[in-house]
Amino acid sequence: MKPTVALAISGFALIAVTYGLARFAWGLMLPDITRDIPFTPRVAGIIAACSFVAYCLASLGAAPLTQRIGPRYTACVASLCATLGLVLLAIATAPWLLAAGLFIAGLSAGLASPALAAAVSRVISPDKQPQINTLINAGTGAGIILSVPILMLLPGGWRAACVAFAVCALACLYPALRYLPGRGEDDSRAPAAGGVQLRKRGRLLTVAFISGVASAAWWSFGPDVLRQHVKVDAQAASMLWLVSGGAGIVGAFTGPLADRIGLNRVYRISQLCMGVPLLALAFGEGFSPWLIPAVALCGAGYITLSGVLLVYGAAASEVPAAGVAAVFLLLAAGQVAGAMLFGAAYAGLGATTGLTLFCALSLLMALLLPGRTTTKS
């Protein structure tokens, strides 16, 4: 297998596991978990926050860890964290064990993206790096696609699903060892010249943070909005969540699309796709065919946006892992803040007002470009 293909497949699989299974599957499992291990909504919020805190901490340490032990072993640590966290979730009998499992699982995503960005910068030629980075990033959608049928069809409920997820995470260990570069291997390839400069990274980080805030309306409250505000049943909400995650696969085409129309235009389109469906959800009631494209745009918009920000971040620093870690740290911090803000707006002003405000936030971000690149704009 060609090194480029092997790296792309290995990275895609690791992102599918660390993001789609170890991170985003929690929301789908939550209703079943609370039936087996009762706890209050406030405790549920604290448990969910553990994943975000772990992600932020891992993002802070990912770049120095990658420089110290190399992309290969950092990716292996990510795989093992996902495995251990999911196993702990599977055997949990109390809320504190769920929090511990989600914290450990959350570390995996914060480590995976910077490690893979560093691997791509070492193995892939500069002109192909945006395409490979965005292809790998689209693994999130594949993970969400995989999580829904496992949760719905596997005998044993959410505990058996966590075991299955853990097996998938452990399976990523071999390709990481086999195909990712180790410390000091071919470190001569730098980010493409003319990329966003480190001294100008403040605007990029601001965009990442505010985009994270805007994304929280769907990714933190999507299933609840569908159930409580739009008034669809549990099965329909699960299927719509599957559609949303599946649509994230289009993020794999971010690189080729950027070559055609420019990265800045892709960025604007992704912000519109993430924001406009919130307005549709704000004024919707009951299941309707229009819900399918709306939630699909939510998923495609966010995964594409994160891929665009990944490309900007990798070009923003002479150490790609550091640039990606910084961008994804701010994106996650924005999601934490956004979850709290949307939760307050949801409770105090209602879902319609909250969704409309967060839609406006995404539309506003479409006007603020993260930076300049060597691609068309």
Side-chain angles (χ1 to χ4, degrees):
M1 189 182 295
K2 293 182 179 179
T4 299
V5 175
L7 174 58
I9 293 174
S10 302
F12 185 91
L14 185 63
I15 293 298
V17 164
T18 56
Y19 282 83
L21 301 184
R23 192 173 177 208
F24 287 125
W26 169 257
L28 277 179
M29 295 189 293
L30 185 57
D32 292 332
I33 291 174
T34 53
R35 282 197 294 269
D36 293 345
I37 308 174
F39 48 84
T40 66
R42 182 177 182 181
V43 172
I46 294 172
I47 294 172
C50 289
S51 177
F52 286 104
V53 171
Y55 183 89
C56 292
L57 291 175
S59 295
L60 286 172
L65 182 65
T66 300
Q67 285 188 293
R68 184 177 180 83
I69 66 175
R72 175 187 299 154
Y73 294 115
T74 304
C76 288
V77 173
S79 174
L80 291 173
C81 283
T83 303
L84 179 59
L86 288 163
V87 168
L88 193 54
L89 285 175
I91 64 173
T93 56
W96 72 269
L97 284 170
L98 291 171
L102 207 58
F103 181 88
I104 296 171
L107 293 172
S108 66
L111 293 171
S113 291
L116 292 170
V120 168
S121 74
R122 295 184 184 187
V123 175
I124 309 300
S125 60
D127 61 313
K128 298 291 185 183
Q129 287 177 18
Q131 291 91 331
I132 300 300
N133 274 323
T134 52
L135 172 62
I136 289 172
N137 188 66
T140 300
I144 294 173
I145 291 174
L146 183 62
S147 70
V148 174
I150 289 177
L151 282 165
M152 291 178 66
L153 303 176
L154 189 68
W158 64 273
R159 293 187 187 276
C162 284
V163 172
F165 296 164
V167 171
C168 293
L170 190 61
C172 289
L173 197 59
Y174 172 76
L177 285 168
R178 177 72 174 82
Y179 297 117
L180 268 62
R183 182 173 178 266
E185 291 183 18
D186 192 16
D187 199 23
S188 60
R189 285 175 177 157
V196 184
Q197 296 301 308
L198 186 61
R199 65 179 179 273
K200 298 179 181 178
R201 201 168 61 181
R203 182 170 58 173
L204 170 61
L205 297 182
T206 299
V207 167
F209 179 80
I210 299 177
S211 297
V213 172
S215 73
W218 174 250
W219 289 107
S220 294
F221 290 88
D224 189 71
V225 166
L226 290 171
R227 295 283 302 277
Q228 304 299 327
H229 176 66
V230 184
K231 307 296 184 185
V232 303
D233 59 36
Q235 185 175 4
S238 294
M239 293 309 298
L240 288 169
W241 189 256
L242 172 61
V243 168
S244 180
I249 292 294
V250 305
F253 302 100
T254 301
L257 184 61
D259 285 341
R260 284 184 170 272
I261 67 173
L263 196 61
N264 285 338
R265 288 194 180 97
V266 177
Y267 164 78
R268 286 191 171 107
I269 291 170
S270 66
Q271 289 283 11
L272 292 174
C273 288
M274 197 170 69
V276 171
L278 297 182
L279 198 61
L281 291 172
F283 296 97
E285 185 173 350
F287 184 84
S288 174
W290 64 262
L291 273 174
I292 297 174
V295 301
L297 286 175
C298 284
Y302 174 75
I303 303 299
T304 301
L305 175 65
S306 64
V308 169
L309 295 177
L310 187 156
V311 172
Y312 277 115
S317 171
E318 293 182 0
V319 181
V324 171
V327 167
F328 276 42
L329 170 64
L330 268 294
L331 190 65
Q335 288 173 328
V336 174
M340 292 188 292
L341 290 171
F342 186 82
Y346 195 0
L349 303 174
T352 299
T353 301
L355 289 165
T356 301
L357 291 173
F358 274 63
C359 168
L361 200 56
S362 282
L363 299 183
L364 181 63
M365 282 298 94
L367 303 176
L368 180 63
L369 293 174
R372 297 180 181 275
T373 67
T374 54
T375 59
K376 301 172 187 176
S377 60

